[in-house]
Amino acid sequence: MQHLWLIPAFPLAGFLVNGIAGRRLPKPLVNTFAVGSVLLAFLWVLKVLAGLQPLEAAYTERYFTWIQSGFVNVGFDFMVDRLTAVMLLVVTGIGLLIHIYSIGYMAHEDGYSRFFAYLNLFMFFMLVLVLAANYLVLFIGWEGVGLCSYLLIGFYYLKKSATDAGKKAFVVNRVGDLGFSLGMFVTMLTFGSLDFATVFGKAQAEGAALNPQTITLICLLLLVGATGKSAQVPLYVWLPDAMEGPTPVSALIHAATMVTAGVYMVARSAPLYNLSPTALEVVAIVGLITAVMAATIGMTQYDIKKVFAYSTVSQLGYMFLGLGVGAYSAGVFHIMTHAFFKALLFLGAGSVIHALSGEQDLRMMGGLRSKIPVTFTVLLAAAVAIAGVPPFSGFHSKDAILLAAHAHAPWMFWVGVVTAAMTAFYVFRAIFLCFFGTYRGDAHPHESPLVMTLPLGVLALLSLAGGYFNVPHYLAPLFGGEHAPHDETLVAISVAAGLAGIGLSWLFYVAAPSLPERISSALGGVYRLVYNKYFVDEAYDALIVHPLRDGSRALLWGVMDARIVDGAVNGAGALARSIGSGLRMWQSGYIRRYAAWVVLGSAALVAVAAFWGGAR
Amino acid sequence: MSENLLSIVLFTPLAGLLVLLFLPRENTKLIRWWANLTAAAGFLASLPLLLRFDRAADGYQFVEKREWIPSLGVSYFIGIDGISLLLVMLTTAMGLIAIFYSWDVIRTREKEYYAMFLLQQTGMIGVFVSLDFLLFYVFWELVLVPMYFIIGVWGGPRKLYAAIKFFLYTLAGGVLMLLGILTLYFQYAAQYGRYTFEITELMKLNLPLGMQQWVFWAFFLGFAIKVPMFPFHTWLPDAHTEAPTAGSVILAAVLLKMGTYGFIRFSLPLLPRASADQTIVTVLIVLSLIGILYGALVSLMQQDWKKLVAYSSVSHLGFCTLGIFALNEAGIAGSVIQQLNHGISTGMLFLIVGVIYERRHTRMIAEYGGLAHVMPNYAIVFAFAMLSSAGLPLLNGFVGEFTILQGAFQASKWWAALAVPGVVFGAAYLLWLYQRTMLGEVTNEKNKGLPDLSWREWAVFVPLMIWALTIGVYPKPYFEILEKPVAQIVHRVHQTSTAVAQADGTAREAISR
């Protein structure tokens, strides 16, 4: 018994302590419980993994029957295999660093203990999600992280935009969950279980005997859930708005961990997806569309967090591309490296924002290189990692995906390469606008305290060197013999694309700063379309939100309830009154009169029934 | 003592009421104390039911049977199975909570108020324990009277309209139901040569499908109005909105369950062929689906906090009836659990409206905003209730919703697929309500300086929160309690409807056990 339950139990305890008593505790104690609980979870993960090596088969712990009725039987079970192991290390490791960073970042905010309570609760649900041994327990974590995301996006609850964004995230995710739920129902009907081992075991054993359409249906429904949680087309719209939350939240939840849950879930369901080439193709195409679309938007935004948010959407698209072309381990590899460099980008951005007392607009930055050198250095590390510059971490995982894409369909490789160039462009655009040129704002920039820069340093090391954790090799036994052929030419092409992106960015924002203006005005309508994020939010409002809201008000409540149903009821009453207008007793309005009529009426009915009943 | 346990549970509130009538009306403190003591005694008396209940046994337990009106074949015949057990526990628990909550709130005509509540308790328990159809009907109609007065006397500005609407609506349904009962009664007499209202006997009836259908629709009106199912729901928002808080709590938590219980206890087992009839099932499911979506969409539009919660009930009860007419184990067990859940979650939501209404005397959402800043504990409790109602996993609502939908899905993929959007809307209207009332800056001067929860209010919420959490995390005991009776009902419906041709003889033998 490895006591896997302790892993989520530590942060849950932290949540309970800080949630109940945090308001009355001094800050150092709040920190101790919040960070300490995550540290314990991290250490327990290490202990468990050390005890389970080499972890060739999944290790399961069953606790109790959760839901049982008819043919439905779902246990509260946890399991660990190599995929879980990677996720556990990423979640607790990055989570720990971000908790430490938050001590500095949130030091002067109201609701300090509330923030850490939510953050711990998030860790609890995220760990339940990755430890789950069946879809329904996974769904607990899935909904739970959604809740925490809602709470933390709306953390500054006095701001309407923040609470709007939180609500949007929750509702959009619920739309995705609709697909997830239906997927579970079909799985339950098809396999008689939601247990991973049972479902995948049957899927592999019966393979061809199963109805391929049913499998495709399950996979597509699960994918709908994944597009909600992992911000893919068409449900990505909540993630950019989610940047209303405090920056550590953006780093932890909306970059490194929660948003990768969809990728994780699809990778976890690999045995099902392997049976449905159609579903895999859809996964790849959704990923590609998302990657390209979000990257183009990222190139036009001026809010530093929005740039990185669209970058996250785009990178998640990359991961889906990896899954879709069957390179599950490459997709998971990219979850990890992305967690390193994207958490760093956000935390670095947070450090910039912190230094500038809340400024997020890139146009109000510039020349900060010398003023906050540590932040500059670590952000540069993250930038080269995401741009795919060898030998840094992003290079390894991105190339694993692109090579697999080429093996699957060359055009996907080329689209991916173009996206890589755009990625390098927008990240360095942010770096150049922020750190080069002259300072355009009027704050007094100051470097962040050690408690913030230390986690940044660790993440910078991971971003640079993290590509040498050979995740694909570690996961190979799990996902079968997938290995894309190594092709020097293709690697060179994608690296060149990244470098070209960086070069263009240099040209645009350092060498010839007037160029972007000229190009954007030359592009005119196209630029405005992209700058306004293709008007997707507006389209959703016009096509879904407004019709639902106005339709319900006018038609359902106004007409249906008030006029038709109540009209009929009141009309029947009025009719009865007018018929009985000669008989004053009908109009008495006294309940005892009505009661008398009931008795009389009942008696009459009894008589009728007696006659009728007896006559048969 | 043990053999009369169920009668003790049933009549404790009534006995308390009799004593209450002799208490001096000026001594309001004594009256309040007595009402609370009686309610607490009623709850404590019901606990042994839970402890001694045998989950593995078939049929009814704690059965008591005495002659009442022998010439008409009416008997005092009571007993419970797992389904009634849970609803009786819900009644005694919510009754205590509602009466306890009223302590500071009701300051006019306390004596009559508590008398009505105690009378209502006995009536509701009676509905859930009666095994004699006429006895059931007596309790069914008995419940109507106290609720009419609770709304009409202690209610809000439009209380008379709401009370009369409530009364006439449910009365109309009740009368038709009586007609259905009498049909069964006379049919039994025609077939067996003696008169009885015992449902165990009436189950032996072998009715042609046409007559089953006729009786089904008669029952349907009575039950569907009570639930309420679309389109019979329009009494509900008015009644809920005008009723005093404790009245709304009981109305939502228990009274509505009389309708769903009626379907499970009477319609399904007594009229199995009609219940499985394709047309009837389709109509019932379609009405449930409309209720789910319609209730949720209309909730989205409400300006009145309490009306919003009331319409959300229509949506939640739609899930309950959907589960019942999935006609399988998961659907029906999920439905009963969801009935409990609705009692707990919506009970909490009504109490939450009550707490703020006592402070500000308005229910308009626009009057509020930023309350989380002024009343942080209240905000936490509200958030908890909201999540429990919206079906967050590990809280109660999820367990019921999931099981119902899985059952519905087993019955028909399309039904479940159409019901699932209700879950999305459920999140939307509650989150929006929460945002408009609790979040943001305090914009209304009158809301500054509102006191946070009192100890009494905490005492009301904490047990409900714990209950919601335990059902969410460990619902197994509930599923175990429900397993036998639900399986029996499902078996009966399916067996009878598939073995139509050879309905008498052997089949009937098996059924009547």
Side-chain angles (χ1 to χ4, degrees), chain B residues 426-440:
Chain B
Y429 61 72
L430 285 171
L431 289 178
W432 196 29
L433 169 69
Y434 196 82
Q435 184 188 26
R436 285 181 293 169
T437 53
M438 307 307 288
L439 305 180

Side-chain angles (χ1 to χ4, degrees), chain A residues 119-337:
Chain A
L119 221 52
N120 275 352
L121 185 65
F122 168 78
M123 291 298 288
F124 164 72
F125 279 121
M126 191 68 209
L127 289 166
V128 169
L129 193 160
V130 296
L131 281 167
N134 61 52
Y135 280 107
L136 205 63
V137 174
L138 190 151
F139 195 66
I140 297 177
W142 188 270
E143 290 289 286
V145 291
L147 166 70
C148 297
S149 162
Y150 162 76
L151 292 170
L152 283 162
I153 294 170
F155 180 75
Y156 301 116
Y157 64 90
L158 296 179
K159 267 170 71 185
K160 176 110 176 14
S161 58
T163 58
D164 275 343
K167 192 180 59 182
K168 181 172 173 184
F170 200 91
V171 173
V172 171
N173 267 295
R174 272 279 168 128
V175 175
D177 297 347
L178 196 154
F180 194 152
S181 312
L182 289 172
M184 282 197 290
F185 296 140
V186 186
T187 306
M188 181 68 112
L189 279 192
T190 313
F191 296 99
S193 172
L194 289 177
D195 203 64
F196 291 144
T198 316
V199 172
F200 302 151
K202 277 191 187 171
Q204 273 155 352
E206 296 171 20
L210 295 161
N211 181 351
Q213 274 158 344
T214 311
I215 302 296
T216 301
L217 180 67
I218 293 176
C219 291
L220 291 179
L221 287 170
L222 292 179
L223 177 64
V224 172
T227 56
K229 194 61 78 195
S230 290
Q232 296 295 292
V233 167
L235 296 178
Y236 69 94
V237 288
W238 63 272
L239 185 60
D241 291 23
M243 299 301 127
E244 290 284 348
T247 304
V249 170
S250 310
L252 176 62
I253 301 183
H254 304 120
T257 57
M258 182 188 84
V259 289
T260 63
V263 183
Y264 166 76
M265 193 257 282
V266 172
R268 171 60 73 206
S269 312
L272 291 179
Y273 280 88
N274 283 336
L275 293 177
S276 172
T278 322
L280 276 179
E281 199 68 19
V282 175
V283 172
I285 289 172
V286 165
L288 260 185
I289 294 176
T290 311
V292 175
M293 187 172 172
T296 54
I297 300 175
M299 294 195 296
T300 61
Q301 300 302 303
Y302 283 106
D303 181 322
I304 186 168
K305 286 183 71 180
K306 283 269 162 81
V307 173
F308 294 156
Y310 280 105
S311 164
T312 304
V313 176
S314 174
Q315 294 295 306
L316 289 164
Y318 246 94
M319 296 176 207
F320 274 88
L321 172 63
L323 302 174
V325 299
Y328 301 103
S329 57
V332 176
F333 191 19
H334 204 56
I335 290 184
M336 186 187 78
T337 59

Side-chain angles (χ1 to χ4, degrees), chain A residues 54-88:
Chain A
L55 201 56
E56 268 153 1
Y59 166 79
T60 308
E61 284 183 5
R62 301 189 186 277
Y63 301 107
F64 56 85
T65 302
W66 186 29
I67 290 181
Q68 181 176 32
S69 181
F71 73 111
V72 183
N73 190 330
V74 184
F76 207 103
D77 309 326
F78 284 163
M79 65 165 241
V80 175
D81 63 3
R82 290 190 168 191
L83 175 58
T84 317
V86 174
M87 293 303 289
L88 281 175

Side-chain angles (χ1 to χ4, degrees), chain A residues 19 23 64-72 74 76 124-125 136 139-141 143-144 147 150 154 157-160 162-167 170-171 174-175 177-179 181-182 184-186 188-189 194 214 217 548-554 556-557 560-562 565-566 569-570 589 591 594-595 598 601-602 605-606 608-614 616, chain B residues 137 148 161 164-165 167-169 171 175 178-179 182-183 186-187 190 211 214 230-231 233-235 237-238 294 297-298 300-303 307 311 329-330 333-334 372-373 376-377 380 386-387 390-394 398-399 402-403 405-406 409-410 413 416-417 420-421 423-425 427-428 431-432 434-435 438-441 471-476 479:
Chain A
R23 267 182 286 172
F64 56 85
T65 302
W66 186 29
I67 290 181
Q68 181 176 32
S69 181
F71 73 111
V72 183
V74 184
F76 207 103
F124 164 72
F125 279 121
L136 205 63
F139 195 66
I140 297 177
E143 290 289 286
L147 166 70
Y150 162 76
Y157 64 90
L158 296 179
K159 267 170 71 185
K160 176 110 176 14
T163 58
D164 275 343
K167 192 180 59 182
F170 200 91
V171 173
R174 272 279 168 128
V175 175
D177 297 347
L178 196 154
S181 312
L182 289 172
M184 282 197 290
F185 296 140
V186 186
M188 181 68 112
L189 279 192
L194 289 177
T214 311
L217 180 67
L548 260 184
R549 195 176 60 197
D550 303 342
S552 313
R553 174 157 32 222
L556 294 183
W557 193 42
M560 190 58 160
D561 255 37
V565 181
D566 263 10
V569 172
N570 293 340
I591 271 307
Y594 290 135
V598 171
S602 311
L605 287 173
V606 170
V608 171
F611 175 73
W612 188 58
R616 300 245 162 155
Chain B
Y137 185 76
Y148 168 79
Y161 173 74
I164 291 179
K165 195 170 175 184
F167 194 85
L168 290 182
Y169 239 118
L171 194 67
V175 169
L178 181 63
L179 198 58
L182 292 171
T183 308
F186 288 116
Q187 281 296 323
M211 186 178 291
W214 188 92
F230 179 91
H233 63 280
T234 62
W235 64 269
D238 287 309
Y294 180 86
L297 285 174
V298 177
L300 215 45
M301 298 305 64
Q302 297 307 311
Q303 320 288 322
K307 224 168 201 167
Y311 271 110
E329 278 93 348
H373 215 56
N377 292 332
I380 292 171
M386 168 176 83
L387 296 171
L392 185 86
L394 292 189
F398 177 73
V399 175
F402 175 80
T403 320
L405 287 173
Q406 185 70 63
F409 208 84
Q410 192 188 357
K413 290 179 188 163
V420 180
V423 181
V424 179
F425 296 134
L431 289 178
W432 196 29
Y434 196 82
Q435 184 188 26
M438 307 307 288
L439 305 180
E441 303 269 4
I471 295 183
V473 175
Y474 195 64
K476 196 174 168 207
F479 283 115

Side-chain angles (χ1 to χ4, degrees), chain B residues 44 95 132 141 187 191 195 242 276 282 307 397 411 417 486:
Chain B
L44 290 177
D132 181 286
E141 295 292 333
Q187 281 296 323
Q191 286 185 18
Y195 291 97
E242 299 307 325
T282 308
K307 224 168 201 167
V486 167

